[in-house]
């Protein structure tokens, strides 16, 4: 059992188990997404979600929670194989660094954690909760030298003393598609809920850490040492313009207008550098470093402001139930970063109400 630092005045989280979860079926053909970028520093950052659930008051509900999650996760990953893939370097004759995300079924990383506190007590905290919430999602930054060994997706299941629990998700911004992550969550929750309804004759999942021989040795440090990310203030926007040339330069201008608006509403003007993530297609994502000083307001098409409206996190997804009738009591979403620059993520939207969804993150 490993201990995670939480706060000097509060209990500490305890890591019970760490494992990799792979798709239940081999991914064929392999899916590939190119990552085009001008600077390897741009690979840092993650999209994070924490969903809070109250106890179901079931005798076995929390005892085998992580075990059932292993099985449902493997099924859900069949439809989202890139989440369990890895980065690899690709030879390029151009100046841009080129990486590829390959769906090689290496697996996502799952952490089972216990927190010796009642969920309602945790939710009643103020400043401490803001700090501790980052402990409910595990993230380890991509290794720039050996990116092929770094998971791109983490799941942390944290169980509280009362039987309540949280599901924490961390996803690399190189996947940079909150819509895909939210769709994955919905698919996974549906599979998990359906599985529990069908398990009347099954008393325990096929796999669960408590069914294995316990090892008193703590997990290796490189497995449990997380990256301490800053929980950035984030705002969502919708771009509703139609029939426009939605190329990279166009999205740069839209990004700058959203940055200006976010700074105004959040009353923050603390940074001049930002990384822009644009999902050009399912097969290509482009990441660039930008400077506000490199843009002159005169060259920005101010008329585009009329096409930009404020958005909410609900634009990216719904609430998800892992047990029928048990809606989350709280959902938190944010961008995590270790750098001092901002992050702007542009996601083309499949919906008719918007051409793109934009997340602006101010550290």
């Amino acid at each position: 059992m490993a201990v995670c630092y939480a706060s000097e005045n509060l209990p500490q989280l305890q890591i019970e188990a760490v494992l990799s979860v792979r798709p239940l079926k081999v991914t064929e053909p392999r899916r590939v997404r190119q990552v085009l970028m001008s600077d390897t520093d741009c690979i840092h950052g993650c999209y994070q979600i924490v969903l809070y659930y109250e106890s179901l008051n079931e005798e076995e509900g929390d005892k085998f929670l992580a075990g059932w999650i292993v099985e449902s996760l493997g099924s859900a990953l069949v439809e989202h194989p890139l989440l369990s893939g890895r980065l690899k370097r690709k030879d390029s004759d151009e100046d841009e660094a080129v990486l590829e995300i390959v769906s090689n079924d290496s697996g996502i990383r799952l952490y089972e954690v216990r927190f010796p506190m009642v969920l309602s007590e945790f939710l009643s905290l103020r400043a401490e909760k803001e700090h501790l919430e980052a402990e409910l999602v595990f993230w380890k930054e991509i290794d720039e030298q050996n990116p092929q060994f770094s998971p791109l997706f983490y799941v942390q299941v944290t169980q509280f003393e009362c039987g309540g629990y949280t599901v924490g998700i961390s996803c690399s911004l190189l996947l940079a598609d909150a819509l895909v992550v939210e769709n994955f969550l919905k698919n996974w929750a549906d599979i998990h809920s359906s599985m529990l309804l069908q398990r009347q004759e099954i008393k325990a999942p096929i796999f669960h850490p408590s069914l294995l021989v316990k090892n008193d040795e703590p997990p290796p440090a490189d497995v449990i040492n997380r990256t301490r990310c800053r929980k950035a203030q984030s705002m969502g926007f919708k771009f509703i313009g139609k029939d426009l040339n939605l190329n990279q330069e166009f999205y740069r201008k839209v990004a700058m207008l959203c940055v200006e608006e976010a700074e105004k509403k959040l009353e923050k003007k603390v940074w001049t550098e930002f990384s822009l993530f644009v999902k050009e297609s399912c097969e290509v994502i482009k990441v660039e470093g930008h400077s506000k000083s490199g843009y002159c307001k005169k060259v920005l098409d101010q008329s585009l402001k009329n096409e930009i409206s404020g958005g909410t996190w609900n634009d990216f997804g719904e609430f998800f139930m892992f047990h029928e009738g048990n809606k989350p009591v709280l959902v938190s979403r944010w961008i995590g970063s270790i750098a001092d620059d901002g992050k702007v993520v542009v996601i083309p939207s499949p919906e008719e109400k918007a051409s793109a969804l934009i997340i602006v993150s101010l550290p």
Side-chain angles (χ1 to χ4, degrees):
M1 180 183 298
V3 176
C4 289
Y5 173 78
S7 172
E8 293 181 359
N9 301 319
L10 293 172
Q12 294 179 328
L13 288 82
Q14 299 170 337
I15 295 179
E16 298 281 321
V18 182
L19 61 149
S20 291
V21 182
R22 298 175 174 84
L24 288 184
K25 298 179 181 179
V26 176
T27 302
E28 289 291 347
R30 300 289 187 191
R31 300 184 189 178
V32 176
R33 175 180 290 181
Q34 282 194 339
V35 181
L36 309 178
M37 57 187 175
S38 55
D39 188 342
T40 55
D41 287 341
C42 293
I43 68 175
H44 299 309
C46 57
Y47 176 52
Q48 298 185 309
I49 313 171
V50 179
L51 302 103
Y52 295 79
Y53 296 91
E54 293 179 335
S55 171
L56 289 176
N57 296 318
E58 294 182 356
E59 293 182 1
E60 300 294 332
D62 64 330
K63 181 179 179 182
F64 295 120
L65 175 63
W68 293 116
I69 277 179
V70 171
E71 296 188 22
S72 58
L73 262 178
S75 296
L77 286 171
V78 172
E79 300 298 323
H80 302 270
L82 278 181
L83 300 182
S84 62
R86 293 292 186 274
L87 282 166
K88 74 172 211 177
R89 298 188 184 279
K90 180 181 178 182
D91 295 333
S92 175
D93 297 330
E94 302 178 3
D95 294 334
E96 291 180 315
V98 180
L99 296 173
E100 288 182 331
I101 302 175
V102 181
S103 58
N104 58 5
D105 298 342
S106 291
I108 66 174
R109 197 78 81 231
L110 172 65
Y111 286 73
E112 182 184 4
V113 178
R114 290 197 176 272
F115 192 21
M117 180 180 279
V118 176
L119 178 59
S120 59
E121 182 183 354
F122 178 87
L123 292 174
S124 68
L125 298 174
R126 298 295 183 182
E128 294 91 343
K129 175 183 171 293
E130 190 72 16
H131 165 71
L132 279 171
E133 196 165 46
E135 301 289 333
L136 301 179
V137 281
F138 191 97
W139 176 250
K140 192 168 185 178
E141 273 296 358
I142 296 168
D143 185 336
E144 292 183 21
Q145 302 302 318
N146 300 290
Q148 69 272 21
F149 299 118
S150 297
L152 304 176
F153 198 95
Y154 290 83
V155 176
Q156 177 176 323
V157 181
T158 304
Q159 300 189 50
F160 290 77
E161 282 189 337
C162 58
Y165 64 96
T166 61
V167 176
I169 303 291
S170 294
C171 176
S172 169
L173 286 180
L174 293 183
L175 292 167
D177 196 338
L179 293 175
V180 166
V181 176
E182 300 282 349
N183 288 337
F184 167 78
L185 270 172
K186 183 180 185 306
N187 185 36
W188 173 29
D190 289 344
I191 291 173
H192 188 86
S193 180
S194 177
M195 182 181 296
L196 294 183
L197 290 174
Q198 298 173 10
R199 69 177 173 96
Q200 297 177 2
E201 303 300 324
I202 305 174
K203 300 302 181 182
I206 295 174
F207 177 86
H208 188 263
S210 66
L211 304 179
L212 304 179
V213 177
K214 286 290 186 180
N215 185 355
D216 293 331
E217 294 294 325
D222 62 340
V223 173
I224 63 173
N225 287 344
R226 68 179 72 209
T227 300
R228 301 292 173 181
C229 290
R230 296 183 180 93
K231 184 179 176 181
Q233 285 185 284
S234 303
M235 286 193 65
F237 296 91
K238 291 187 289 188
F239 181 77
I240 58 176
K242 300 292 183 180
D243 300 324
L244 297 172
N245 183 15
L246 305 182
N247 55 27
Q248 189 76 9
E249 179 58 33
F250 177 82
Y251 280 131
R252 291 191 193 107
K253 296 176 181 179
V254 172
M256 275 303 308
L257 291 171
C258 291
V259 165
E260 290 180 357
E261 189 65 19
E263 286 187 329
K264 183 188 306 180
K265 290 186 176 181
L266 296 175
E267 297 182 348
K268 298 185 73 172
K269 289 184 179 294
V270 295
W271 52 277
T272 59
E273 307 291 330
F274 67 93
S275 298
L276 174 62
F277 296 74
V278 177
K279 180 187 175 186
E280 294 189 339
S281 68
C282 292
E283 291 77 30
V284 179
I285 181 170
K286 193 159 188 176
V287 190
E288 298 178 337
H290 288 285
S291 170
K292 283 178 57 181
S293 60
Y295 284 87
C296 174
K297 289 188 176 182
K298 291 182 179 180
V299 303
L300 291 176
D301 186 353
Q302 297 296 318
S303 65
L304 291 176
K305 282 187 175 181
N306 298 327
E307 307 293 337
I308 297 173
S309 63
T312 68
W313 285 114
N314 291 335
D315 293 321
F316 295 88
E318 308 169 357
F319 291 155
F320 312 102
M321 294 186 293
F322 287 88
H323 295 77
E324 187 175 2
N326 190 25
K327 294 182 179 180
V329 296
L330 177 67
V331 179
S332 294
R333 299 174 171 93
W334 67 87
I335 300 295
S337 175
I338 62 172
D340 292 328
D341 64 339
K343 308 287 184 186
V344 181
V345 182
V346 179
I347 307 159
S349 174
E351 300 180 1
E352 295 182 358
K353 296 180 180 179
S355 297
L357 300 173
I358 303 103
I359 304 174
V360 176
S361 176
L362 307 182

